[in-house]
Every structure is written in structure tokens, then in C-alpha cells.
Amino acid sequence: PSGSSTVRYGIKQFRSTDNGLSWVETEGLVDDLGIEYGYTFDDAIIGNDIYMIVMTFPELEDKGHGRSVHMIKSSDNGSSWTHLKDLNDEFGFSFNESSIEVYQDGFFMVLRGDDNITRAFITDIDCNLIVWRSLSSEYDCIANIGRPKLFIENGNYYLMCRNVLSSTS
């Protein structure tokens, strides 16, 4: 973009068919709608399906999404991707850094909003919103976060992140 020193090339993929002995570069990460993605955040695997949270950049695509976060799915080990949902549209706010884990029959996500509010979401398997909470509003120890990473240990969910404390702490 004009005036910007950042050049974004999109995601580069490399594939190995010999257990990592050699690698071949493949095309960029493009879904079935033709949207090219520039950044991956996190993924979850359910059976033979990979679900991945990815972000578009305005200079990489012309589908009207600009800079937004999407959920895509692959059922063939990442050879092709199906677009599931523009998560910014589904959740109704702008965000980027995000993490995902499988939760019951869908997903648990934690997102850093562009408004510096940290939110947690539960969705169904198609990423339709079921319920959400503002962690920033509910917990004095959280204002906003960076680089969230959810994980499960012994059936409990944990969030690791870079945290900025609220001004009331």
C-alpha cells in the first residue's frame, strides 16, 4: 500500500511426502472461494478434518474482506481448503490474534479485539456463535492480551498469552 514499508506476500506452503526428508513449495494458502490468506493463527483437528483460523490482508485478495479473520477447513491434509466463516462478520467486531480448541461439538476461542478487549467465544462446528464473554470486563487481572494460545491439560482449558493488566489492578 501507498506509504507503507510492509510488503505482504501471503502464506508460503511447503509439503513433504517423504517424512520431512525433502520439501516442495506449493501455491499460497487459497480457499475454495479464491480468498488468499496471509497469516495463520491456530488450528484444531477433529477426526480427519483440520480447522484453521487465518487472516486476510487487503493487498492479497479482492473478495471484499480486506483485513479479517476466517475459519477454513481441510479434509485432505491441507491439499485444499473450504471457507467456513468470516469470523469478524459472525462475531460482529474487529480482531486478529486468536486461539482455538475443540469444545464439546464445536470450538472454544479466545480473541484479542482491535478495541483491546479480550473475548472468549463458544461456537458450533460450523463456527456459528453460541455464546461469548468479555474476559476484560469480568476479570480485573485482564485488560487485553497478545498472542493467545489455548490448550487442554487433564480436561482443563488453559490460556497462555501476553497480558496487559487493567488500570484498576
Side-chain angles (χ1 to χ4, degrees):
S2 178
S4 173
S5 62
T6 302
V7 177
R8 294 182 172 142
Y9 295 104
I11 295 169
K12 299 295 181 195
Q13 294 186 89
F14 298 87
R15 185 171 298 276
S16 175
T17 57
D18 58 8
N19 294 317
L21 295 175
S22 63
W23 296 87
V24 175
E25 184 175 353
T26 63
E27 66 180 45
L29 184 58
V30 179
D31 69 18
D32 60 327
L33 300 181
I35 300 171
E36 183 176 0
Y37 297 97
Y39 196 83
T40 64
F41 288 115
D42 204 359
D43 61 79
I45 297 173
I46 300 176
N48 293 320
D49 297 324
I50 305 167
Y51 293 82
M52 188 163 35
I53 303 175
V54 291
M55 186 163 68
T56 59
F57 294 132
E59 55 270 45
L60 296 178
E61 57 91 27
D62 63 357
K63 307 295 183 206
H65 295 283
R67 180 187 158 279
S68 58
V69 179
H70 299 250
M71 179 71 81
I72 59 177
K73 173 185 170 183
S74 178
S75 298
D76 58 10
N77 295 314
S79 292
S80 65
W81 293 91
T82 301
H83 184 267
L84 292 182
K85 188 81 64 169
D86 180 325
L87 296 176
N88 291 101
D89 287 346
E90 177 66 17
F91 298 156
F93 76 105
S94 183
F95 67 93
N96 60 53
E97 295 175 0
S98 42
S99 187
I100 184 173
E101 274 294 346
V102 175
Y103 179 79
Q104 296 177 355
D105 294 326
F107 301 107
F108 174 44
M109 298 181 214
V110 174
L111 319 170
R112 180 184 65 87
D114 291 348
D115 57 3
N116 292 325
I117 296 174
T118 301
R119 296 170 177 90
F121 292 80
I122 301 293
T123 70
D124 65 15
I125 196 72
D126 296 317
C127 297
N128 297 307
L129 178 62
I130 295 173
V131 65
W132 72 275
R133 297 170 61 176
S134 168
L135 301 181
S136 298
S137 297
E138 293 183 37
Y139 299 97
D140 289 339
C141 62
I142 299 175
N144 65 342
I145 62 170
R147 311 287 193 256
K149 180 58 184 150
L150 286 167
F151 67 96
I152 302 170
E153 175 80 22
N154 295 324
N156 297 308
Y157 288 79
Y158 295 88
L159 171 64
M160 294 188 67
C161 59
R162 191 175 59 205
N163 186 34
V164 176
L165 297 177
S166 69
S167 59
T168 61
S169 294

